[in-house]
Every structure is written in structure tokens, then in C-alpha cells.
Amino acid sequence: MTEERLTCQQLEEVYELYALGSLEAAERDEIEAHLTHGCTHCKQGVADAMALNAMVLSFVPEVVPPRELKHRVLAAIGYERPGWFWAGALAASLMLIVALWLGIQEREHYSELADARRDVINITADRDRLNQALLFLSDPETTPVSFGRGQQAPPRGYVFLHPQLGVMLIASNLPPAGEGKAYEMWVIPKGGAPRPAGLFQSDGTRALHVLGGPVDVATLGVVAVTLEPAAGSAAPTTTPIIAAQVARS
Amino acid sequence: MRVLKLLPFALAFGILQVVLRLPNDGDLIRRLKAREPKAMAELYDRYGRIAYSVVLRVVHNPSVAEDLVQETFIRVWNRMESFDAERGALGPWVLTVARNRAIDYLRSVDGRMQAGAVELEKLERPGFFADMGAQALSMDRVRRVKSAFEKLNPNQKTVIEMAYYEGMSQTEVAEKLKQPLGTVKTWTRAALKILRDELGEAAIA
Ligand SMILES: [Zn+2]
């Protein structure tokens, strides 16, 4: 970071790069601080830069997307009922988004992603749940919380919280529950007793489970998973295999 | 399984119209805000093709591009609430979200700029697209900027494309081109000034 502050005129040179997210941290922070202080000249300059950037983007050679893409988009918002083919496409899209979430910290490799897609297509036959999961992952109000990070064998993954949509769990390294058993998720309010949040199975690699909302995210403390009889239990009977601390500080 | 092959289309001037604020975009925005699914079909008809073209240009993989376009439209659908129906420029917003999803994907696959994802999300907030006057996106301006863009010298064009379609920082561009950072900055700033000046010229005219 330079000692002197940049002037509006100097900042003008980098509005477009700022709008593209291509500035180095020091310059970016400077322009942001400047905008926060309410410089209307630069605020308009950045808006113009956004317009210019969009124009430049529009200069790409045009390519016609496959016709199915429109149906996929409409299926994803629940306008068209997806057929089995679309369920597969939605799963693919879902896993891409999951990988992007994970990629921020874990740099998932694309070949791993291909395996993950196959797994999820296999385990998530329920297309409504897929749609729901997709909405979760694309909504700005969703908060991800990781668990099991840095451990070798135990399950790892993410809990996604959303005030209206509920709680979604995605776990890897989760062994099959076994004959006559099931995994049961629990939501545990801060200082409260565990509440049952549904049963699910794992195919041995990955599992996905959604508790439909709404949920009071502010009072949630922990999301846990225990192994229970296939019919489920009213309260946990075994030690949690997953315990994600979701309490907000 | 996929019968349709991609049909490369010549860059027609019609495409430019797509980015402009269409006269009835305001109405479309209001219907999208009311979560009318049919409006989503119209949104896709207007901007699906250009969004796909941009994303494909970035990721060079049709199946990944489809996923990212799907994510783009879901994102737009989910964030419509805070979009300004009177002043918002819908086309530029959709294009920006599409480009950013693609860059985010590219960076995560390459393991580049880890902190960048949050950054890109911030830069596609609907508020940024509320202050683009209709005249900022007029056909006249787009024409001028396009012809200026075509006249950039090869170095200028390269650094611009690396920033727009590969999401590289100036340092990354310098490393890739094996050029001093100062040189890359000069090329980039000169190129942007040429484009920006056209935008300004048209404004005065
Ligand atoms: Zn300023």
C-alpha cells in the first residue's frame, strides 16, 4: 500500500479493473474505502465502468446454447417439472456449485468433481429434493458451516443454513448405516435439547439430507448426526458422528 | 444423449441489442420481482444466448458452461427482489453475473485468487446496475465502443481479454506474458482509456 492516497483522477484509470474484480488487494481496498466515503464522482465512474464492461463482454462471438438449457433453467425454479434427464442435469449442476463452495477452501479437483456428480445422481433420486438443494446453494442468504475439516477418517462436509429453506447437510466419508440402521440428523438450539431433523442413508461416500425450513438460524447451536435404528429415535441414543458448530458469534 | 450440436453464429449486430436495456425490461423486472415463472422464460429468451456465449468463452467447455448459465439465472431469480425496476439495467447485470460465475469457476479450478469469490459476489450487487442511464447503453455508444475495441493493438487486446475472460490480475497477466508489470499496466490502462473515451464522446454528442 502506498503512503499517499490516490486521487479521483488516478482511480479513474482502474474503475473497469475494479468492476472486474481484477485489482490487487491494496488498490481494491483503496477504491472501496474511497467509495464508502461517498465520492459521487467515483460512484458514477464505477457504474459507467460496469456498463462498459458489459458492452465489452457482449462483443464475444455468439454461440447458440443447446435447446435443453432453457428447460433446465425453468425446471430449476420449479416452473417446469423436470423429467429424469433433467434430474441428472440438476444433480450435475448442484455438484458443480457444491464444488465451488468447497473449492474456496479445499481446491477440489475437477476429476473428483466428476465422481461426486455420479454419486449424487445415484443417491439423490428425488428430484424435488434436488431442486431444493439447488435453491439452497444459490441463495445469498445461505450460510455454509464446515465440519470435520483437518481430520483424516471421520466424515467431513458442510451444513448449509437458510432462514426460510432450512438446514441442508452434505457429508463425505460417511460409511453406510448398516442393516436396520439409519442416520438421524438433530438440530440443537443453544442451551436446548436435540430436536429430530429427519433420517437419511449414506451410500458409503456421500450423503445429502435436507430439513425443510423455516428455521431460526440465530438460536441454532449445533447440527449433529447420530446412528439410530431404522425407524429413528426421539432423542439421540449414540455418540454423534457429526457435530457441526453452527452458532453465530 | 445430446442431439443438438452447438451452432457457431457469426457475430451479428443484433447481438449488441441484447445488452442494451430493452424498452420493456422494466416491465419484465417487475414481473420477475413478483416471481412470475413465465417472466423467467422471457428473461432467458432475451439474455440466455449471450450469457451462454460469454460463459463458454471463459470456460471453453459446453457442459460446464450450461451448468454455470443455469446457476446464473437462478442467482438472478433469487436476487431480483433488490433490483431496481425503474433504473436497473437488466442485460448488463445478467452478463456480469454470468461472467463472474465463469471466472469464479476458472479460478477455483486453477486454485487462483482464493479470496476472489466473495469479491466477485460483491461486484454483482444489483445496486451497481441502478445508475446506468439508458443513454449509457445506447446503440450509438455500443457501436463506438465496439469499433474502438476492434482497433486496439494486439498487446492491448491481449491484456484486455486476459482481464475480462480469464479474470487475471495485472500481476498474473505480467507473469503469463513474461512482461514487466509496469508494461502490462501501461497497455491495460491505455486500452481502457481508448474504450472509455468512446463512452464519454458519445455522451457529449
Ligand atoms: Zn473519487
Side-chain angles (χ1 to χ4, degrees), chain A residues 10 12-24 27-28 32 35 43-44 46-70 72-77 79 85 89-90 92-93 96-97 99-100 103-110 113 117 134-135 137-140, chain B residues 1-2 4 6-9 11 15-16 19 37-38 40-41 44-45 49-50 52-54 56-57 64 66-71 73-74 77-79 92 95 99 104-105 107-108 111 113-114 117 119-120 122-123 128-129 131-132 136-137 141-142 145-146 149 163-165 167-171 185 188-189 192 195-196 199:
Chain A
Q10 289 167 308
E12 254 169 39
E13 298 192 325
V14 296
Y15 288 154
E16 289 81 11
L17 294 178
Y18 168 70
L20 289 171
S22 296
L23 279 189
E24 316 288 348
E27 273 178 307
R28 183 198 63 211
E32 270 176 4
L35 289 172
K43 190 165 172 276
Q44 186 57 49
V46 169
D48 289 344
M50 293 263 180
L52 181 65
N53 287 349
M55 277 186 204
V56 171
L57 291 174
S58 78
F59 300 156
V60 293
E62 190 172 349
V63 182
V64 179
R67 195 180 294 251
E68 302 96 359
L69 185 53
K70 181 176 178 182
R72 275 180 59 182
V73 166
L74 296 178
I77 64 154
Y79 183 34
F85 176 78
L90 280 174
S93 183
L96 176 69
I97 298 166
L100 289 177
I104 295 165
Q105 284 148 316
E106 291 191 358
R107 301 187 185 191
E108 280 255 354
H109 201 269
Y110 198 68
L113 177 57
R117 285 176 172 205
L134 197 59
L135 285 173
L137 292 168
S138 62
D139 196 288
Chain B
M1 174 128 39
R2 187 156 290 140
L4 279 176
L6 303 172
L7 302 166
F9 249 54
L11 172 61
I15 185 181
L16 300 176
V19 187
K38 213 169 174 183
M40 186 67 161
Y44 183 87
D45 288 341
R49 182 182 289 189
I50 183 69
Y52 180 77
S53 303
V54 167
L56 187 63
R57 171 71 179 77
V64 171
E66 286 174 49
D67 291 350
L68 292 167
V69 168
Q70 188 183 347
E71 196 196 339
F73 280 91
I74 293 171
W77 172 254
N78 285 336
R79 290 177 195 191
L95 273 199
R99 181 261 178 193
D104 190 21
Y105 168 82
R107 285 177 178 172
S108 86
M113 285 175 82
Q114 295 296 305
E119 188 57 30
L120 285 178
K122 273 201 309 206
L123 292 166
F128 279 118
F129 300 86
D131 294 318
M132 284 175 201
L137 301 160
R141 282 194 181 193
V142 178
V145 174
K146 174 137 174 56
F149 179 77
Y164 281 77
Y165 299 115
M168 291 190 178
S169 70
Q170 302 281 278
T171 309
K185 284 191 172 177
T188 310
R189 283 166 201 210
L192 289 173
L195 301 175
R196 200 185 302 131
L199 205 65

Side-chain angles (χ1 to χ4, degrees), chain A residues 216-229:
Chain A
D216 186 0
V217 175
T219 62
L220 260 189
V222 176
V223 173
V225 172
T226 59
L227 194 58
E228 301 293 338

Side-chain angles (χ1 to χ4, degrees), chain A residues 6-9 11-12 15 34-35 38-43:
Chain A
L6 295 174
T7 63
C8 294
Q9 241 168 0
L11 291 175
E12 254 169 39
Y15 288 154
H34 186 89
L35 289 172
C39 175
T40 48
H41 174 79
C42 288
K43 190 165 172 276

Side-chain angles (χ1 to χ4, degrees), chain A:
Chain A
M1 174 90 82
T2 47
E3 286 300 315
E4 301 166 33
R5 307 199 129 237
L6 295 174
T7 63
C8 294
Q9 241 168 0
Q10 289 167 308
L11 291 175
E12 254 169 39
E13 298 192 325
V14 296
Y15 288 154
E16 289 81 11
L17 294 178
Y18 168 70
L20 289 171
S22 296
L23 279 189
E24 316 288 348
E27 273 178 307
R28 183 198 63 211
D29 292 348
E30 182 140 7
I31 201 164
E32 270 176 4
H34 186 89
L35 289 172
T36 311
H37 282 98
C39 175
T40 48
H41 174 79
C42 288
K43 190 165 172 276
Q44 186 57 49
V46 169
D48 289 344
M50 293 263 180
L52 181 65
N53 287 349
M55 277 186 204
V56 171
L57 291 174
S58 78
F59 300 156
V60 293
E62 190 172 349
V63 182
V64 179
R67 195 180 294 251
E68 302 96 359
L69 185 53
K70 181 176 178 182
H71 299 295
R72 275 180 59 182
V73 166
L74 296 178
I77 64 154
Y79 183 34
E80 289 183 2
R81 299 290 293 169
W84 284 109
F85 176 78
W86 307 127
L90 280 174
S93 183
L94 166 65
M95 282 322 294
L96 176 69
I97 298 166
V98 171
L100 289 177
W101 275 99
L102 299 176
I104 295 165
Q105 284 148 316
E106 291 191 358
R107 301 187 185 191
E108 280 255 354
H109 201 269
Y110 198 68
S111 63
E112 262 179 67
L113 177 57
D115 290 341
R117 285 176 172 205
R118 261 198 305 280
D119 293 343
V120 165
I121 290 167
N122 290 337
I123 63 173
T124 51
D126 179 343
R127 66 195 180 193
D128 289 334
R129 197 168 53 146
L130 263 177
N131 265 333
Q132 197 178 17
L134 197 59
L135 285 173
F136 250 101
L137 292 168
S138 62
D139 196 288
E141 275 195 78
T142 299
T143 318
V145 178
S146 69
F147 59 82
R149 185 167 304 256
Q151 300 175 41
Q152 279 299 315
R156 298 191 306 156
Y158 279 81
V159 168
F160 298 88
L161 307 172
H162 188 285
Q164 279 83 45
L165 297 173
V167 180
M168 177 167 76
L169 174 102
I170 294 178
S172 57
N173 290 337
L174 195 61
E179 192 71 24
K181 304 256 181 206
Y183 288 109
E184 187 158 10
M185 186 165 89
W186 309 91
V187 292
I188 311 173
K190 286 176 198 156
R195 291 203 301 262
L199 298 163
F200 63 96
Q201 294 290 337
S202 170
D203 72 344
T205 48
R206 286 178 170 80
L208 187 156
H209 177 65
V210 176
L211 168 71
V215 60
D216 186 0
V217 175
T219 62
L220 260 189
V222 176
V223 173
V225 172
T226 59
L227 194 58
E228 301 293 338
S233 306
T237 62
T238 61
T239 313
I241 302 170
I242 293 169
Q245 304 291 331
V246 298
R248 283 184 184 169
S249 47

